[in-house]
Amino acid sequence: MRILRVEGGRRLCGQIRVGCAKNAVLPMLAASLLAGGPVRLSDAPDISDVEHMLEILRMLGCCAAREEGELRIDPSGLKEEALPDRLAKKLRSSIFLLGPMLGRLRRAVVTYPGGCDIGLRPIDLHLQGLRALGVRIDERNGQIVCDGRAMHGGTVHFDYPSVGATENVMMAAVLTPGRTVVHNAAREPEILDLQRFINAMGGNVQGAGTHTVVIDGVRRLQGVQYRAMPDRIVAGTLLEALAITGGEGAVLGVDAQDLTAVIAKLREMGCRIQESQDRIDLCAPSRLKAFAHLQTSPHPGFPTDMQAQTMALATVAEGSSVIMENVFENRFTHVPEFGRMGADILVSGRMAVVRGVPALHGARVTAHDLRGGAALVLAGLCARGETEVEGVALIDRGYACLEGQLAALGASIARVDVES
Ligand code: EPZ
């Protein structure tokens, strides 16, 4: 079995550059189905979620591969209207292939994507949005059959600003005649990047990044070469690796504007931070102070994808912290693992009360989801002794060689094979 072995106690220092964002590249791969020519995404992250999405595109009839450091997609061969079950279940975010498949083929069949460790992950908002565009949706035998032959521009009002549902409707509307308006749209930076990508192909999308997105259908999109935005969650994770070890350094290539909530929380914990458009510099105190309260919420609120990592910091901070996880219903699976390292955390529903302890001790722990896995590695960086993190494949879904990035900052960490 493959694990990450971390020797705690080293103060991290130095500079590290982040790559392109998983949560920008994945919807762009889906949107590539809409292109009338080849699409090339440069510097895309070498992570398993991207590989799985490429495999799905190939199974739908497209050419899709990583060549010479870029992803090359030729969607001209798209013929299959049914998402392959095995892979769709493996990659929950494949549900936003529905929109572009309907945009191109006017027909799509998917099975209900499974939930995952962080929650049920329903798709009611996706289906509500597509129905507003005139898509006929029949759900039978666990399959969702979408008929888009009568699609038209429409008005969507989301009860909750879902990232994936906003992206799905944007992509379904791009080649659909008429104007589509999405109210209470998600405002994550990755959605603004998707708008830039679609418009670079000749689409007409406005307002992404605000609560209201307007899409005017066009007849055709051309191919494009594009570089997605930097990964703000990987950047936040690396900043917190510096912080939890009392370190000092900079994360390069990221826009501080995309991490304002995380930066504010790290300042509250005693870190000195300098912000700019393409780097964030951080100098941490020898011991962090607890933040009083943290609530996760849709952007520009505190990102749920940084909750587990920030909890790791709270476990060794001076004082007690309260964390409310408002986005996903089961995103505390890392708590019992922190407990094995000596953390003092009480969970009640969506609330966790973390009482900082002077130090954690190394242990064998298990990642149950992508960001929880990264959080356990952060805890290992400051724990006394050795920590072994199982479930590396989950971390590899969203981090291209996390151990390499941390080692470059001075961490003692390695990927090793051990007896299971
Ligand atoms: C995206 O997931 C991200 N994934 C997630 O990142 C991220 O945590 C999430 O947005 C929130 O920021 C990608 O972009 C590939 P949502 P998504 O739809 O689109 C509920 C990571 O670690 N909901 O905004 O699935 C849902 O159950 C991953 O990189 C409905 O109720 O997020 C959840 O409670 C994890 N009905 C909440 O909304 C729906 O139809 C947020 O979901 C859709 C969602």
Side-chain angles (χ1 to χ4, degrees):
M1 170 203 325
R2 193 66 55 94
I3 63 161
L4 290 180
R5 180 174 289 153
V6 192
E7 186 61 43
R10 296 214 181 169
R11 182 174 178 270
L12 299 198
C13 292
Q15 299 187 349
I16 186 89
R17 180 169 294 277
V18 293
C20 293
K22 163 177 89 81
N23 292 350
V25 167
L26 290 176
M28 286 173 190
L29 286 171
S32 300
L33 294 181
L34 297 164
V39 170
R40 292 160 60 178
L41 291 175
S42 38
D43 300 330
D46 185 7
I47 54 178
S48 54
D49 272 11
V50 167
E51 293 312 311
H52 291 146
M53 184 62 97
L54 291 174
E55 203 179 334
I56 290 177
L57 295 180
R58 287 193 291 270
M59 293 179 86
L60 293 173
C62 305
C63 295
R66 182 187 294 277
E67 291 164 12
E68 294 157 30
E70 63 180 15
L71 304 184
R72 293 180 182 167
I73 297 92
D74 175 354
S76 55
L78 172 67
K79 60 180 181 306
E80 180 51 59
E81 64 203 26
L83 261 184
D85 283 9
R86 178 174 57 82
L87 277 170
K89 285 194 181 312
K90 205 166 187 179
L91 186 60
R92 138 92 207 166
S93 49
S94 58
I95 192 66
F96 50 41
L97 278 161
L98 257 186
M101 285 167 74
L102 285 163
R104 269 292 297 279
L105 301 174
R106 294 291 185 242
R107 210 172 131 70
V109 179
V110 293
T111 51
Y112 262 100
C116 64
D117 278 299
I118 60 177
L120 291 171
R121 312 295 291 276
I123 59 169
D124 55 311
L125 297 171
H126 293 252
L127 303 184
Q128 173 205 334
L130 295 175
R131 284 193 176 100
L133 271 60
V135 179
R136 259 203 54 210
I137 297 173
D138 297 312
E139 301 171 46
R140 48 179 184 256
N141 317 324
Q143 288 220 306
I144 302 165
V145 182
C146 300
D147 178 349
R149 285 171 293 180
M151 281 173 79
H152 52 70
T155 299
V156 180
H157 193 290
F158 285 133
D159 292 345
Y160 178 90
S162 155
V163 172
T166 301
E167 292 165 341
N168 232 340
V169 170
M170 281 167 70
M171 294 187 281
V174 171
L175 295 178
T176 296
R179 167 164 284 196
T180 294
V181 182
V182 183
H183 295 290
N184 197 23
R187 294 189 280 169
E188 273 67 9
E190 290 77 16
I191 293 179
L192 177 54
D193 208 26
L194 179 62
Q195 169 178 290
R196 290 192 196 102
F197 174 71
I198 291 172
N199 290 346
M201 292 195 286
N204 186 347
V205 184
Q206 309 299 327
T210 74
H211 276 312
T212 305
V213 179
V214 179
I215 306 103
D216 286 312
V218 296
R219 296 179 59 78
R220 190 182 184 308
L221 297 181
Q222 71 258 6
V224 70
Q225 171 153 22
Y226 192 82
R227 189 180 192 284
M229 65 177 279
D231 196 311
R232 61 195 173 98
I233 303 302
V234 170
T237 306
L238 295 171
L239 281 173
E240 295 198 347
L242 290 167
I244 202 169
T245 60
E248 181 172 2
V251 175
L252 310 179
V254 65
D255 185 343
Q257 276 306 307
D258 292 338
L259 275 173
T260 50
V262 174
I263 288 169
K265 203 52 75 181
L266 289 172
R267 282 188 171 131
E268 200 180 328
M269 300 185 87
C271 295
R272 280 187 290 113
I273 295 177
Q274 278 186 320
E275 306 172 51
S276 75
Q277 262 192 328
D278 63 356
R279 64 183 281 159
I280 300 172
D281 290 76
L282 177 144
C283 180
S286 52
R287 188 177 187 195
L288 295 164
K289 290 184 301 203
F291 50 80
H293 199 223
L294 184 159
Q295 294 243 27
T296 66
S297 60
H299 193 78
F302 192 93
T304 174
D305 292 350
M306 283 299 302
Q307 177 258 107
Q309 302 91 308
T310 310
M311 186 186 284
L313 274 60
T315 65
V316 290
E318 190 173 351
S320 290
S321 311
V322 177
I323 294 174
M324 294 294 293
E325 172 51 65
N326 297 314
V327 176
F328 289 104
E329 67 268 23
N330 182 33
R331 207 168 194 177
F332 286 146
T333 53
H334 38 281
V335 169
E337 304 302 321
F338 284 142
R340 294 164 59 82
M341 301 176 74
D344 179 353
I345 307 171
L346 173 73
V347 168
S348 170
R350 288 182 177 235
M351 180 176 71
V353 179
V354 185
R355 282 208 296 217
V357 295
L360 298 177
H361 54 76
R364 184 77 174 263
V365 292
T366 303
H368 296 292
D369 73 271
L370 161 57
R371 307 301 175 184
L376 292 169
V377 173
L378 295 192
L381 292 174
C382 75
R384 287 200 187 109
E386 193 171 83
T387 298
E388 297 190 330
V389 182
E390 294 179 11
V392 182
L394 285 170
I395 299 173
D396 291 344
R397 288 189 50 192
Y399 294 86
C401 193
L402 180 61
E403 71 275 17
Q405 294 179 307
L406 295 173
L409 293 171
S412 168
I413 181 170
R415 182 179 293 240
V416 296
D417 281 317
V418 295
E419 288 301 308
S420 46

